[in-house]
PDB file of all heavy atoms in Angstrom:
ATOM      1  N   ASP A 143      99.436 -50.731 -84.915  1.00  0.00           N
ATOM      2  CA  ASP A 143      98.430 -51.502 -85.644  1.00  0.00           C
ATOM      3  C   ASP A 143      97.611 -50.629 -86.581  1.00  0.00           C
ATOM      4  O   ASP A 143      96.828 -51.143 -87.377  1.00  0.00           O
ATOM      5  CB  ASP A 143      97.466 -52.188 -84.667  1.00  0.00           C
ATOM      6  CG  ASP A 143      98.167 -53.253 -83.842  1.00  0.00           C
ATOM      7  OD1 ASP A 143      98.878 -54.072 -84.450  1.00  0.00           O
ATOM      8  OD2 ASP A 143      98.017 -53.250 -82.609  1.00  0.00           O
ATOM      9  N   VAL A 146      96.710 -47.441 -92.755  1.00  0.00           N
ATOM     10  CA  VAL A 146      96.351 -46.276 -93.565  1.00  0.00           C
ATOM     11  C   VAL A 146      95.659 -46.807 -94.809  1.00  0.00           C
ATOM     12  O   VAL A 146      96.309 -47.216 -95.764  1.00  0.00           O
ATOM     13  CB  VAL A 146      97.610 -45.461 -93.928  1.00  0.00           C
ATOM     14  CG1 VAL A 146      97.233 -44.260 -94.765  1.00  0.00           C
ATOM     15  CG2 VAL A 146      98.341 -45.023 -92.667  1.00  0.00           C
ATOM     16  N   TRP A 148      93.943 -45.742 -97.514  1.00  0.00           N
ATOM     17  CA  TRP A 148      93.643 -44.579 -98.335  1.00  0.00           C
ATOM     18  C   TRP A 148      93.761 -44.894 -99.801  1.00  0.00           C
ATOM     19  O   TRP A 148      94.668 -45.591-100.233  1.00  0.00           O
ATOM     20  CB  TRP A 148      94.641 -43.450 -98.034  1.00  0.00           C
ATOM     21  CG  TRP A 148      94.502 -42.798 -96.714  1.00  0.00           C
ATOM     22  CD1 TRP A 148      93.565 -43.040 -95.748  1.00  0.00           C
ATOM     23  CD2 TRP A 148      95.345 -41.773 -96.208  1.00  0.00           C
ATOM     24  NE1 TRP A 148      93.784 -42.218 -94.678  1.00  0.00           N
ATOM     25  CE2 TRP A 148      94.860 -41.435 -94.927  1.00  0.00           C
ATOM     26  CE3 TRP A 148      96.457 -41.092 -96.702  1.00  0.00           C
ATOM     27  CZ2 TRP A 148      95.457 -40.453 -94.145  1.00  0.00           C
ATOM     28  CZ3 TRP A 148      97.055 -40.125 -95.920  1.00  0.00           C
ATOM     29  CH2 TRP A 148      96.556 -39.809 -94.660  1.00  0.00           C
ATOM     30  N   ARG A 149      92.839 -44.287-100.585  1.00  0.00           N
ATOM     31  CA  ARG A 149      92.983 -44.378-102.033  1.00  0.00           C
ATOM     32  C   ARG A 149      94.006 -43.338-102.493  1.00  0.00           C
ATOM     33  O   ARG A 149      94.416 -42.472-101.728  1.00  0.00           O
ATOM     34  CB  ARG A 149      91.634 -44.115-102.698  1.00  0.00           C
ATOM     35  CG  ARG A 149      90.645 -45.236-102.420  1.00  0.00           C
ATOM     36  CD  ARG A 149      89.330 -44.985-103.123  1.00  0.00           C
ATOM     37  NE  ARG A 149      88.295 -45.894-102.642  1.00  0.00           N
ATOM     38  CZ  ARG A 149      88.073 -47.094-103.138  1.00  0.00           C
ATOM     39  NH1 ARG A 149      88.801 -47.547-104.143  1.00  0.00           N
ATOM     40  NH2 ARG A 149      87.117 -47.849-102.644  1.00  0.00           N
ATOM     41  N   GLY A 150      94.343 -43.428-103.770  1.00  0.00           N
ATOM     42  CA  GLY A 150      95.380 -42.583-104.338  1.00  0.00           C
ATOM     43  C   GLY A 150      95.279 -41.105-104.022  1.00  0.00           C
ATOM     44  O   GLY A 150      96.243 -40.498-103.544  1.00  0.00           O
ATOM     45  N   THR A 180     104.788 -47.976-109.636  1.00  0.00           N
ATOM     46  CA  THR A 180     104.858 -46.782-110.495  1.00  0.00           C
ATOM     47  C   THR A 180     103.469 -46.152-110.484  1.00  0.00           C
ATOM     48  O   THR A 180     102.786 -46.100-111.502  1.00  0.00           O
ATOM     49  CB  THR A 180     105.233 -47.167-111.943  1.00  0.00           C
ATOM     50  OG1 THR A 180     104.369 -48.245-112.378  1.00  0.00           O
ATOM     51  CG2 THR A 180     106.662 -47.616-112.063  1.00  0.00           C
ATOM     52  N   SER A 181     103.066 -45.686-109.316  1.00  0.00           N
ATOM     53  CA  SER A 181     101.664 -45.264-109.194  1.00  0.00           C
ATOM     54  C   SER A 181     101.532 -43.901-108.537  1.00  0.00           C
ATOM     55  O   SER A 181     102.377 -43.033-108.730  1.00  0.00           O
ATOM     56  CB  SER A 181     100.880 -46.353-108.460  1.00  0.00           C
ATOM     57  OG  SER A 181      99.498 -46.074-108.498  1.00  0.00           O
ATOM     58  N   ASP A 182     100.497 -43.719-107.766  1.00  0.00           N
ATOM     59  CA  ASP A 182     100.188 -42.392-107.220  1.00  0.00           C
ATOM     60  C   ASP A 182     101.366 -41.734-106.515  1.00  0.00           C
ATOM     61  O   ASP A 182     101.695 -40.574-106.780  1.00  0.00           O
ATOM     62  CB  ASP A 182      99.012 -42.505-106.238  1.00  0.00           C
ATOM     63  CG  ASP A 182      97.697 -42.719-106.958  1.00  0.00           C
ATOM     64  OD1 ASP A 182      97.084 -41.704-107.373  1.00  0.00           O
ATOM     65  OD2 ASP A 182      97.288 -43.868-107.128  1.00  0.00           O
ATOM     66  N   GLU A 207     115.511 -62.406-111.879  1.00  0.00           N
ATOM     67  CA  GLU A 207     114.722 -61.831-112.958  1.00  0.00           C
ATOM     68  C   GLU A 207     113.353 -61.359-112.464  1.00  0.00           C
ATOM     69  O   GLU A 207     112.821 -60.367-112.956  1.00  0.00           O
ATOM     70  CB  GLU A 207     114.558 -62.860-114.087  1.00  0.00           C
ATOM     71  CG  GLU A 207     113.716 -62.399-115.265  1.00  0.00           C
ATOM     72  CD  GLU A 207     114.246 -61.157-115.956  1.00  0.00           C
ATOM     73  OE1 GLU A 207     115.469 -60.898-115.892  1.00  0.00           O
ATOM     74  OE2 GLU A 207     113.424 -60.423-116.545  1.00  0.00           O
ATOM     75  N   VAL A 208     112.789 -62.058-111.482  1.00  0.00           N
ATOM     76  CA  VAL A 208     111.481 -61.646-110.951  1.00  0.00           C
ATOM     77  C   VAL A 208     111.561 -60.206-110.425  1.00  0.00           C
ATOM     78  O   VAL A 208     110.605 -59.449-110.515  1.00  0.00           O
ATOM     79  CB  VAL A 208     111.011 -62.636-109.847  1.00  0.00           C
ATOM     80  CG1 VAL A 208     109.934 -62.043-108.974  1.00  0.00           C
ATOM     81  CG2 VAL A 208     110.500 -63.905-110.477  1.00  0.00           C
ATOM     82  N   ARG A 218     111.866 -47.389-116.976  1.00  0.00           N
ATOM     83  CA  ARG A 218     111.045 -46.768-118.020  1.00  0.00           C
ATOM     84  C   ARG A 218     110.275 -45.578-117.464  1.00  0.00           C
ATOM     85  O   ARG A 218     110.140 -44.546-118.105  1.00  0.00           O
ATOM     86  CB  ARG A 218     110.003 -47.760-118.550  1.00  0.00           C
ATOM     87  CG  ARG A 218     110.503 -48.770-119.511  1.00  0.00           C
ATOM     88  CD  ARG A 218     110.564 -48.232-120.923  1.00  0.00           C
ATOM     89  NE  ARG A 218     111.085 -49.259-121.795  1.00  0.00           N
ATOM     90  CZ  ARG A 218     110.324 -50.050-122.539  1.00  0.00           C
ATOM     91  NH1 ARG A 218     109.014 -49.904-122.519  1.00  0.00           N
ATOM     92  NH2 ARG A 218     110.885 -50.965-123.293  1.00  0.00           N
ATOM     93  N   THR A 252     119.681 -65.348-112.616  1.00  0.00           N
ATOM     94  CA  THR A 252     119.491 -66.279-113.739  1.00  0.00           C
ATOM     95  C   THR A 252     119.563 -65.593-115.099  1.00  0.00           C
ATOM     96  O   THR A 252     119.798 -66.239-116.107  1.00  0.00           O
ATOM     97  CB  THR A 252     118.133 -67.015-113.635  1.00  0.00           C
ATOM     98  OG1 THR A 252     117.108 -66.031-113.604  1.00  0.00           O
ATOM     99  CG2 THR A 252     118.050 -67.880-112.403  1.00  0.00           C
ATOM    100  N   ASP A 282     115.892 -53.849 -87.604  1.00  0.00           N
ATOM    101  CA  ASP A 282     114.842 -54.150 -86.628  1.00  0.00           C
ATOM    102  C   ASP A 282     115.078 -53.391 -85.322  1.00  0.00           C
ATOM    103  O   ASP A 282     114.147 -53.017 -84.624  1.00  0.00           O
ATOM    104  CB  ASP A 282     114.803 -55.654 -86.327  1.00  0.00           C
ATOM    105  CG  ASP A 282     114.015 -56.428 -87.375  1.00  0.00           C
ATOM    106  OD1 ASP A 282     113.480 -55.794 -88.306  1.00  0.00           O
ATOM    107  OD2 ASP A 282     113.936 -57.663 -87.263  1.00  0.00           O
TER     108      ASP A 282
ATOM    109  N   ASP B  99     104.625 -54.877-124.402  1.00  0.00           N
ATOM    110  CA  ASP B  99     106.050 -54.884-124.098  1.00  0.00           C
ATOM    111  C   ASP B  99     106.174 -55.152-122.603  1.00  0.00           C
ATOM    112  O   ASP B  99     105.668 -54.390-121.788  1.00  0.00           O
ATOM    113  CB  ASP B  99     106.602 -53.500-124.475  1.00  0.00           C
ATOM    114  CG  ASP B  99     108.051 -53.299-124.080  1.00  0.00           C
ATOM    115  OD1 ASP B  99     108.658 -54.236-123.509  1.00  0.00           O
ATOM    116  OD2 ASP B  99     108.582 -52.201-124.337  1.00  0.00           O
ATOM    117  N   VAL B 104     103.317 -49.631-116.086  1.00  0.00           N
ATOM    118  CA  VAL B 104     101.905 -49.267-115.934  1.00  0.00           C
ATOM    119  C   VAL B 104     101.872 -48.115-114.940  1.00  0.00           C
ATOM    120  O   VAL B 104     101.968 -48.321-113.730  1.00  0.00           O
ATOM    121  CB  VAL B 104     101.090 -50.475-115.424  1.00  0.00           C
ATOM    122  CG1 VAL B 104      99.660 -50.065-115.112  1.00  0.00           C
ATOM    123  CG2 VAL B 104     101.092 -51.575-116.480  1.00  0.00           C
ATOM    124  N   TRP B 106      99.741 -45.802-113.601  1.00  0.00           N
ATOM    125  CA  TRP B 106      98.350 -45.422-113.412  1.00  0.00           C
ATOM    126  C   TRP B 106      98.111 -44.952-112.000  1.00  0.00           C
ATOM    127  O   TRP B 106      98.650 -45.503-111.038  1.00  0.00           O
ATOM    128  CB  TRP B 106      97.439 -46.639-113.637  1.00  0.00           C
ATOM    129  CG  TRP B 106      97.371 -47.138-115.032  1.00  0.00           C
ATOM    130  CD1 TRP B 106      97.953 -46.600-116.140  1.00  0.00           C
ATOM    131  CD2 TRP B 106      96.672 -48.294-115.461  1.00  0.00           C
ATOM    132  NE1 TRP B 106      97.638 -47.368-117.241  1.00  0.00           N
ATOM    133  CE2 TRP B 106      96.860 -48.407-116.848  1.00  0.00           C
ATOM    134  CE3 TRP B 106      95.887 -49.242-114.807  1.00  0.00           C
ATOM    135  CZ2 TRP B 106      96.298 -49.431-117.599  1.00  0.00           C
ATOM    136  CZ3 TRP B 106      95.335 -50.261-115.535  1.00  0.00           C
ATOM    137  CH2 TRP B 106      95.540 -50.353-116.918  1.00  0.00           C
ATOM    138  N   GLY B 108      95.263 -44.367-108.868  1.00  0.00           N
ATOM    139  CA  GLY B 108      94.307 -45.270-108.247  1.00  0.00           C
ATOM    140  C   GLY B 108      93.043 -45.559-109.037  1.00  0.00           C
ATOM    141  O   GLY B 108      92.689 -46.723-109.254  1.00  0.00           O
ATOM    142  N   LYS B 111      93.444 -48.011-111.831  1.00  0.00           N
ATOM    143  CA  LYS B 111      93.736 -49.362-111.324  1.00  0.00           C
ATOM    144  C   LYS B 111      92.447 -49.998-110.822  1.00  0.00           C
ATOM    145  O   LYS B 111      92.160 -51.170-111.087  1.00  0.00           O
ATOM    146  CB  LYS B 111      94.771 -49.297-110.188  1.00  0.00           C
ATOM    147  CG  LYS B 111      96.154 -48.844-110.625  1.00  0.00           C
ATOM    148  CD  LYS B 111      97.218 -49.158-109.579  1.00  0.00           C
ATOM    149  CE  LYS B 111      97.289 -48.145-108.481  1.00  0.00           C
ATOM    150  NZ  LYS B 111      98.421 -48.360-107.571  1.00  0.00           N
ATOM    151  N   THR B 138      97.713 -51.195 -98.453  1.00  0.00           N
ATOM    152  CA  THR B 138      96.301 -51.232 -98.057  1.00  0.00           C
ATOM    153  C   THR B 138      95.606 -50.096 -98.803  1.00  0.00           C
ATOM    154  O   THR B 138      95.118 -49.149 -98.202  1.00  0.00           O
ATOM    155  CB  THR B 138      96.162 -50.998 -96.532  1.00  0.00           C
ATOM    156  OG1 THR B 138      96.959 -49.834 -96.165  1.00  0.00           O
ATOM    157  CG2 THR B 138      96.652 -52.183 -95.744  1.00  0.00           C
ATOM    158  N   SER B 139      95.628 -50.210-100.144  1.00  0.00           N
ATOM    159  CA  SER B 139      95.181 -49.044-100.912  1.00  0.00           C
ATOM    160  C   SER B 139      94.193 -49.425-102.007  1.00  0.00           C
ATOM    161  O   SER B 139      93.384 -50.331-101.843  1.00  0.00           O
ATOM    162  CB  SER B 139      96.410 -48.298-101.452  1.00  0.00           C
ATOM    163  OG  SER B 139      96.035 -47.056-102.007  1.00  0.00           O
ATOM    164  N   ASP B 140      94.282 -48.725-103.115  1.00  0.00           N
ATOM    165  CA  ASP B 140      93.283 -48.875-104.177  1.00  0.00           C
ATOM    166  C   ASP B 140      93.039 -50.315-104.597  1.00  0.00           C
ATOM    167  O   ASP B 140      91.892 -50.758-104.704  1.00  0.00           O
ATOM    168  CB  ASP B 140      93.720 -48.061-105.402  1.00  0.00           C
ATOM    169  CG  ASP B 140      93.760 -46.565-105.109  1.00  0.00           C
ATOM    170  OD1 ASP B 140      92.710 -45.917-105.292  1.00  0.00           O
ATOM    171  OD2 ASP B 140      94.813 -46.068-104.689  1.00  0.00           O
ATOM    172  N   GLU B 147      85.664 -54.615-102.918  1.00  0.00           N
ATOM    173  CA  GLU B 147      84.389 -54.055-103.368  1.00  0.00           C
ATOM    174  C   GLU B 147      83.767 -54.926-104.429  1.00  0.00           C
ATOM    175  O   GLU B 147      82.568 -55.186-104.419  1.00  0.00           O
ATOM    176  CB  GLU B 147      84.601 -52.660-103.953  1.00  0.00           C
ATOM    177  CG  GLU B 147      84.521 -51.574-102.923  1.00  0.00           C
ATOM    178  CD  GLU B 147      85.058 -50.252-103.419  1.00  0.00           C
ATOM    179  OE1 GLU B 147      85.307 -50.123-104.636  1.00  0.00           O
ATOM    180  OE2 GLU B 147      85.237 -49.365-102.569  1.00  0.00           O
ATOM    181  N   ALA B 165     111.191 -57.776 -87.816  1.00  0.00           N
ATOM    182  CA  ALA B 165     110.222 -56.823 -87.279  1.00  0.00           C
ATOM    183  C   ALA B 165     109.796 -55.782 -88.306  1.00  0.00           C
ATOM    184  O   ALA B 165     108.644 -55.336 -88.305  1.00  0.00           O
ATOM    185  CB  ALA B 165     110.805 -56.137 -86.036  1.00  0.00           C
ATOM    186  N   ARG B 172     101.117 -56.165 -89.443  1.00  0.00           N
ATOM    187  CA  ARG B 172     100.148 -55.803 -88.397  1.00  0.00           C
ATOM    188  C   ARG B 172      99.100 -54.850 -88.947  1.00  0.00           C
ATOM    189  O   ARG B 172      97.925 -54.928 -88.603  1.00  0.00           O
ATOM    190  CB  ARG B 172     100.861 -55.104 -87.233  1.00  0.00           C
ATOM    191  CG  ARG B 172     101.565 -56.046 -86.306  1.00  0.00           C
ATOM    192  CD  ARG B 172     102.327 -55.306 -85.255  1.00  0.00           C
ATOM    193  NE  ARG B 172     101.464 -54.848 -84.182  1.00  0.00           N
ATOM    194  CZ  ARG B 172     101.919 -54.457 -82.997  1.00  0.00           C
ATOM    195  NH1 ARG B 172     103.208 -54.453 -82.752  1.00  0.00           N
ATOM    196  NH2 ARG B 172     101.080 -54.046 -82.067  1.00  0.00           N
ATOM    197  N   THR B 176      94.954 -55.221 -89.431  1.00  0.00           N
ATOM    198  CA  THR B 176      93.935 -54.208 -89.113  1.00  0.00           C
ATOM    199  C   THR B 176      93.018 -53.996 -90.314  1.00  0.00           C
ATOM    200  O   THR B 176      91.799 -53.893 -90.174  1.00  0.00           O
ATOM    201  CB  THR B 176      94.599 -52.876 -88.727  1.00  0.00           C
ATOM    202  OG1 THR B 176      95.464 -53.089 -87.620  1.00  0.00           O
ATOM    203  CG2 THR B 176      93.556 -51.829 -88.374  1.00  0.00           C
ATOM    204  N   GLU B 238     112.082 -68.597-111.050  1.00  0.00           N
ATOM    205  CA  GLU B 238     112.723 -67.834-112.130  1.00  0.00           C
ATOM    206  C   GLU B 238     112.457 -68.480-113.476  1.00  0.00           C
ATOM    207  O   GLU B 238     112.241 -67.813-114.479  1.00  0.00           O
ATOM    208  CB  GLU B 238     114.251 -67.805-111.895  1.00  0.00           C
ATOM    209  CG  GLU B 238     114.696 -66.870-110.800  1.00  0.00           C
ATOM    210  CD  GLU B 238     114.772 -65.437-111.274  1.00  0.00           C
ATOM    211  OE1 GLU B 238     115.749 -65.077-111.941  1.00  0.00           O
ATOM    212  OE2 GLU B 238     113.829 -64.686-110.981  1.00  0.00           O
TER     213      GLU B 238
END
Side-chain angles (χ1 to χ4, degrees):
Chain A
D143 294 311
V146 180
W148 289 357
R149 292 182 192 272
T180 50
S181 189
D182 286 275
E207 178 59 26
V208 161
R218 282 277 179 98
T252 58
D282 278 358
Chain B
D99 174 0
V104 174
W106 292 356
K111 293 196 278 187
T138 48
S139 190
D140 296 271
E147 272 166 11
R172 281 176 80 163
T176 302
E238 285 279 281

